[in-house]
Amino acid sequence: MSSSDIFLGETIGTAVLILLGGGVCAAVTLKSSKARGAGWLAITFGWGFAVMTAVYMTASLSGAHLNPAVTVGIAVKDGAWGDVPVYIAGQLLGAMIGAALVWVAYYGQFRAHLTDPETVGEKPVEGPGPVLGIFSTGPEIRNTWQNLATEIIGTVVLVLAVLTQGLNDSGKGLGVLGALITAFVVVSIGLSLGGPTGYAINPARDLGPRIVHALLPLPNKGGSDWSYAWIPVAGPLVGGALAAGIYNLAFA
C-alpha cells in the first residue's frame, strides 16, 4: 500500500466511523431526535455497526486500522513503524471530519437542545458541556488510575482480538468476515466495559471530535474537558502496545 492510499483510506474510514458512531450518540441524546432516549444498547450496537461499515469500506485501501491503538499494536507486533505517522494523521483528520458531519446532520437538533433552558441547566456551562458526550468520552466517576486502567483493559481486548483474527483458520486470515467479528468485539466491549468511561478505546475517536467540539460555534456548549482528554489517548495507546506484547509472547 502506498502512503497516499493509507492516508486516504484511514481518513475516509475514520470519518465514516465517527459519523455513524457519533451519529448514534447524537440520535440518543438530542432533543427533537426520533431516537432520543433509546439507551446504551442503541449506542453500543451503533458503534459496532459503524466499525463494520468503515472497515468493509476501506480495508482494500489501507487495511482499515481506523485507530492509532491498532496501528501501534500492529507496529509493535511486526516491528514496522515506517507508516505509523501516515496512519495516525489520516485517522485524526478523518475523526475531525466525521465529527463535523455529525454536527451538520443534526444541526437543528443541536440548536434546539442547547437553547432549551432545561437542557442547558443539565450541566454547568463552565464544566463538560451538555453535548460533549456526543463528541468524546468522559468518566462517570473521576478516578485517574481507574479511568486509565479501564481504557487500557478495553483496548487490550480490542487489539488482541484484531491481532489474533484468523489463527483458527490455519493462519489464512478471515478476510471480509474479520470486519463483522471486530464489530461484535466492539459491541461486547461497550456492553461489558463501557460503563465507567464510555469506552474510547481509540485515541483518534476521542481527540479529533473533542477538538471539533472546542471549535464549533455551538451555543451554551460548555467546556471540552481537556483535563481528562489525555486518558482516552494514553490508555488506548498503552493497551495497544500491551496487546501486541501478549500476542508476541503467547501466539507468535
Side-chain angles (χ1 to χ4, degrees):
M1 291 178 285
S2 68
S3 293
S4 59
D5 283 346
I6 290 171
F7 183 78
L8 186 61
E10 293 299 297
T11 300
I12 294 172
T14 313
V16 170
L17 169 65
I18 302 304
L19 171 61
L20 299 180
V24 73
C25 292
V28 170
T29 301
L30 296 175
K31 290 183 181 295
S32 302
S33 165
K34 293 182 182 296
R36 178 170 167 82
W40 191 245
L41 278 175
I43 289 174
T44 54
F45 276 92
W47 274 103
F49 293 144
V51 169
M52 182 182 68
T53 303
V55 171
Y56 275 130
M57 190 178 294
T58 60
S60 62
L61 268 179
S62 65
H65 294 188
L66 313 182
N67 182 343
V70 172
T71 299
V72 167
I74 292 172
V76 171
K77 168 182 169 285
D78 296 335
W81 291 86
D83 291 323
V84 168
V86 180
Y87 272 100
I88 293 178
Q91 291 156 2
L92 186 59
L93 176 61
M96 294 177 69
I97 293 171
L101 291 174
V102 171
W103 171 65
V104 172
Y106 282 89
Y107 178 80
Q109 282 72 26
F110 273 111
R111 290 195 62 83
H113 194 88
L114 290 172
T115 55
D116 185 323
E118 180 181 346
T119 303
V120 174
E122 289 178 3
K123 293 186 179 180
V125 173
E126 65 273 12
V131 297
L132 180 59
I134 293 170
F135 294 89
S136 57
T137 62
E140 289 299 299
I141 297 174
R142 287 181 180 264
N143 182 311
T144 299
W145 75 263
Q146 182 204 338
N147 301 153
L148 187 63
T150 299
E151 289 295 330
I152 291 171
I153 292 166
T155 310
V156 167
V157 174
L158 171 65
V159 177
L160 194 57
V162 170
L163 295 179
T164 54
Q165 279 186 20
L167 292 184
N168 294 325
D169 189 25
S170 302
K172 295 177 183 178
L174 296 174
V176 294
L177 184 59
L180 181 59
I181 292 174
T182 302
F184 285 143
V185 171
V186 171
V187 172
S188 178
I189 293 169
L191 292 174
S192 300
L193 300 172
T197 63
Y199 73 118
I201 58 174
N202 181 339
R205 170 263 176 277
D206 194 274
L207 180 59
R210 195 182 298 269
I211 293 171
V212 171
H213 176 271
L215 295 176
L216 282 176
L218 294 166
N220 304 312
K221 67 180 179 180
S224 300
D225 199 11
W226 290 108
S227 64
Y228 178 78
W230 69 274
I231 289 177
V233 172
L237 291 176
V238 171
L242 283 175
I246 295 169
Y247 179 91
N248 285 338
L249 182 65
F251 296 97

